[in-house]
Amino acid sequence: SLLSGRAREWGTAVWDAQLPICSGLAAFTEEMKRVFDRSVAGHEAACEIMLLRQEHRTLTDYAIQFRTLAASSQWYERALYDAFWHGLSDNLKDKLA
């Protein structure tokens, strides 16, 4: 199996129970998205961007989470740039200034 962690546990349980979603890839994939996809879009993504802060995480981790939210926020690049800068840790902003 290419699944791991909780997804593997879920997939194994579904397969062992021979639920109807096991009859085809499309049904299985759709159910997997329903169970595991916690992505946000539009207004909700924009709200999360406004609250997002780097804090003690790495710049890479902050940037990945930011870009994930930005992709579905429907914001313009300039607004995203400003929000990204705002969320950076003060320590990093001091080093970049």
Side-chain angles (χ1 to χ4, degrees), residues 24-37:
L25 181 60
F28 184 83
T29 302
E30 190 59 37
E31 182 65 9
M32 188 171 201
K33 285 180 186 177
R34 191 186 68 72
V35 170
F36 290 102
D37 186 10

Side-chain angles (χ1 to χ4, degrees), residues 29-65:
T29 302
E30 190 59 37
E31 182 65 9
M32 188 171 201
K33 285 180 186 177
R34 191 186 68 72
V35 170
F36 290 102
D37 186 10
R38 298 293 175 245
S39 60
V40 295
H43 180 72
E44 189 177 350
C47 290
E48 287 195 29
I49 286 174
M50 294 301 298
L51 298 174
L52 186 62
R53 300 294 180 268
Q54 180 186 1
E55 296 174 333
H56 300 291
R57 71 178 115 189
T58 66
L59 178 58
T60 301
D61 288 343
Y62 170 68
I64 289 170
Q65 185 174 4

